[in-house]
Amino acid sequence: MHRSQESAAQTRPSTGTQTDSMHGQLPRLSKVNLFTLLSLWMETFPSPEDNENKKQALIKKTGLVVVGNMKIIGLHCSSSELHAGQIAVIKHGSRLKDCDLYFSRKPCSACLKMIVNAGVNRISYWPSDPEISLQQEICSQSDNGDARLDAKAVERLKSNSRAHVCVLLQPLACYMMQFVEETSLKCDFVQKIARREPDFPVSTFYDYRQERIKEYEALFLVSSEDMHKEILRLMGLENLCEDPYFFTLRQNMKELVLILATVASSVPRYSDFGFYLSNTSNENHPNLTQETARHCLIQARLLAYRTEDHKIGVGAVIWAERNNSSWDCDGTGSLYFLGCGYNAFPVGSEYADFPHMDDKQQDREIRKFRYIVHAEQNAITFRCRKIKPDEKSMIFVTKCPCDECVPLIKGSGIKNIFVGDVDIGKKKADISYVKFAELKGVNKFIWQQNPCSSNSSDPSTAENGLLRNEEEDLSFKNKRMCFGESS
């Protein structure tokens, strides 16, 4: 990205996907940084190939977010056979015209020529290790490697295309880092562990987050500044190698990685906690591992930081599992993205047009509840594909769906709900959550302690089902599987 581009990216106002930006309210992620974080997170998608081929798991994948008319219409990651850009062409084809693509790595020439040819508007990428890695060649001082040749071809394609190919990172809003840290620590999932296990200290959360920071820095950052500058030069980003641009770039990258690690830590891999069935009314449950369910819920957690409700942010993401495995060219396996959303005011409105006081306000007429469009409602409204009744569809929500959303979820044909259970059965001001418990014909996966575990203190969950957990398969072999399936 040239200096003028970088300056414009940093001064451009952050507007909401649904409405204009909220002034004087709690900090929120810009659209650019949200799409960037989602692309990085898609790179870590726990695909089936990673379990079957451990060597493949060591190869860095590429995450991709496809945005059309400022709405997310695709979440993808590369597979063992196809790069993310190639998958986007297969999945979207000519529908890529005028779309914006956010890559977790700079696309190679094979991908770039096709997506440029499709007529995309902008291609943004994470300014670190590209899709064909240059790090190994730089270390070995090789002058005729494929990565260097590909970098030259990519730069030539870039300079001769109408699409904007650039780095597009924005600085975080003031206090955003502190806000994410505080809300992650108070997140329903962390608090549930603390309630179930009194010995769970705050330091455990920070220790876990520190592990994630190290993991993601190794994956997304180039540790050596000199090597990073050399890679940027080979990628055609010479202007970013000069100070203060290089320092600003590195700082923005480190802050986004810290945000991702903090949000990921809010749904931790802890003991025997996970997503387990609260009912057994429907046999049409998805074939997911705990890690995949956790990954999708963290996507929803990231979306929640775009909220226009200053009291609480809610995110929702819809996925489906196709029946025909021969279509599994994506790194997500049989899963494919349907839609996502967060709670916001109606499209085209100004934030100040509607009341936004919380439920402590006495006058019911000027409360926000009748005006806010809920995350589940936005996800269903702006989904990019139809929900097929013969496929296993699922919605991941950061907060228990209210009585306004539960009939919509069932009526749209969604078969599975993944959620925490903090508000289940409660009535809070103008919002009621009693219909969720009464919902029939839809599997409800609650994030809780494993009901089959001997440590579980809730006898009412003894008959509940559970998702597959690859790491716990051996320990479950001698236990009754509540789905009625063997290990």
Side-chain angles (χ1 to χ4, degrees):
M1 181 176 64
H2 297 293
R3 297 181 191 181
S4 59
Q5 291 175 312
E6 182 182 28
S7 176
Q10 293 182 355
T11 58
R12 188 182 296 111
S14 172
T15 56
T17 302
Q18 302 296 330
T19 70
D20 288 339
S21 60
M22 15 182 329
H23 298 288
Q25 303 300 329
L26 291 179
R28 63 201 296 241
L29 284 172
S30 68
K31 296 186 303 294
V32 166
N33 284 345
L34 172 64
F35 300 151
T36 299
L37 286 169
L38 285 172
S39 71
L40 296 178
W41 188 237
M42 282 304 298
E43 188 170 306
T44 69
F45 194 94
S47 63
E49 296 173 347
D50 296 343
N51 296 324
E52 297 171 2
N53 187 347
K54 298 301 181 183
K55 291 183 179 179
Q56 177 67 23
L58 300 176
I59 299 176
K60 293 180 180 179
K61 297 188 292 187
T62 301
L64 170 62
V65 177
V66 181
V67 178
N69 193 26
M70 297 316 299
K71 308 291 191 302
I72 298 175
I73 62 174
L75 294 176
H76 308 285
C77 68
S78 56
S79 65
S80 59
E81 296 182 347
L82 292 168
H83 288 180
Q86 295 170 322
I87 291 171
V89 171
I90 292 173
K91 298 294 184 181
H92 302 277
S94 60
R95 294 189 299 273
L96 289 175
K97 183 176 175 58
D98 296 327
C99 286
D100 294 341
L101 275 59
Y102 290 80
F103 286 87
S104 66
R105 300 183 182 276
K106 188 173 184 179
C108 67
S109 59
C111 293
L112 188 60
K113 64 184 179 184
M114 287 190 292
I115 55 181
V116 165
N117 192 53
V120 299
N121 176 55
R122 172 182 282 130
I123 301 164
S124 302
Y125 57 91
W126 184 251
S128 184
D129 196 20
E131 197 161 45
I132 294 183
S133 177
L134 289 164
Q135 288 195 36
Q136 185 176 358
E137 291 192 22
I138 292 173
C139 292
S140 63
Q141 300 299 316
S142 174
D143 293 327
N144 56 357
D146 288 341
R148 290 174 180 266
L149 294 174
D150 190 76
K152 294 180 179 179
V154 166
E155 194 59 25
R156 192 166 185 176
L157 284 165
K158 169 186 170 182
S159 60
N160 289 282
S161 70
R162 287 173 290 182
H164 302 287
V165 184
C166 63
V167 172
L168 190 58
L169 301 180
Q170 293 179 342
L172 294 175
C174 186
Y175 302 117
M176 188 74 219
M177 191 76 67
Q178 178 183 349
F179 178 63
V180 172
E181 181 177 333
E182 291 176 353
T183 52
S184 294
L185 187 58
K186 296 177 182 178
C187 180
D188 298 342
F189 306 95
V190 174
Q191 290 300 309
K192 184 172 289 188
I193 295 175
R195 286 193 297 271
R196 287 288 183 92
E197 301 193 13
D199 295 334
F200 178 80
V202 174
S203 60
T204 302
F205 169 82
Y206 288 105
D207 290 343
Y208 182 80
R209 186 181 71 159
Q210 191 59 37
E211 293 177 3
R212 300 288 76 74
I213 292 173
K214 292 179 180 179
E215 177 184 348
Y216 299 153
E217 284 184 345
L219 183 61
F220 301 125
L221 299 178
V222 180
S223 57
S224 168
E225 292 189 2
D226 291 338
M227 182 182 292
H228 193 187
K229 288 182 179 180
E230 181 63 18
I231 290 173
L232 292 176
R233 293 188 186 98
L234 290 168
M235 292 166 64
L237 299 173
E238 296 88 349
N239 290 338
L240 290 180
C241 295
E242 302 176 11
D243 289 331
Y245 306 108
F246 181 73
F247 174 81
T248 301
L249 177 72
R250 293 274 294 186
Q251 185 63 29
N252 288 346
M253 293 173 70
K254 289 179 179 179
E255 289 181 350
L256 287 175
V257 169
L258 179 56
I259 289 286
L260 185 61
T262 305
V263 175
S265 300
S266 66
V267 191
R269 306 182 189 98
Y270 184 81
S271 183
D272 54 354
F273 280 80
F275 291 95
Y276 298 98
L277 274 173
S278 66
N279 66 314
T280 55
S281 60
N282 189 355
E283 292 301 318
N284 192 13
H285 53 75
N287 186 32
L288 295 184
T289 64
Q290 290 286 351
E291 192 60 23
T292 302
R294 175 180 171 274
H295 188 280
C296 296
L297 205 288
I298 292 171
Q299 293 171 354
R301 287 277 296 141
L302 287 168
L303 286 160
Y305 286 105
R306 279 293 297 164
T307 182
E308 292 182 347
D309 181 351
H310 74 276
K311 182 185 178 186
I312 186 168
V314 183
V317 60
I318 307 174
W319 287 83
E321 184 179 12
R322 65 175 58 85
N323 296 324
N324 190 350
S325 60
S326 63
W327 286 68
D328 298 350
C329 68
D330 202 327
T332 57
S334 60
L335 296 182
Y336 65 95
F337 173 81
L338 287 177
C340 63
Y342 52 86
N343 51 338
F345 289 109
V347 171
S349 61
E350 296 285 345
Y351 181 75
D353 286 346
F354 300 111
H356 49 272
M357 296 298 292
D358 60 27
D359 54 11
K360 294 180 181 179
Q361 192 167 7
Q362 298 300 315
D363 190 348
R364 293 184 61 200
E365 185 178 350
I366 54 175
R367 288 180 181 169
K368 66 184 179 184
F369 304 119
R370 300 182 189 276
Y371 306 100
I372 285 280
V373 183
H374 297 186
E376 304 95 312
Q377 296 167 357
N378 271 323
I380 292 172
T381 301
F382 296 109
R383 65 187 185 275
C384 57
R385 300 183 187 181
K386 293 182 178 179
I387 298 174
K388 300 179 181 178
D390 60 329
E391 293 186 340
K392 302 170 185 176
S393 52
M394 60 209 84
I395 185 168
F396 299 82
V397 192
T398 58
K399 196 171 182 290
C400 176
C402 67
D403 291 354
E404 192 176 314
C405 294
V406 166
L408 286 171
I409 293 173
K410 182 179 179 181
S412 65
I414 293 174
K415 302 294 193 304
N416 305 275
I417 302 176
F418 292 77
V419 71
D421 68 347
V422 172
D423 293 322
I424 290 177
K426 294 182 179 179
K427 294 183 178 180
K428 302 170 64 178
D430 287 355
I431 298 184
S432 174
Y433 298 89
V434 298
K435 288 184 179 180
F436 182 84
E438 301 169 357
L439 182 61
K440 305 296 182 183
V442 178
N443 290 313
K444 295 170 288 186
F445 290 90
I446 310 300
W447 199 83
Q448 59 186 324
Q449 195 172 15
N450 181 2
C452 289
S453 170
S454 59
N455 296 326
S456 177
S457 59
D458 188 356
S460 66
T461 62
E463 298 300 321
N464 292 346
L466 59 155
L467 289 177
R468 292 191 302 114
N469 191 332
E470 301 291 349
E471 297 178 356
E472 298 178 354
D473 275 350
L474 293 177
S475 64
F476 285 152
K477 281 187 176 180
N478 296 322
K479 295 182 179 180
R480 176 176 59 85
M481 300 300 288
C482 302
F483 274 171
E485 60 187 13
S486 64
S487 300

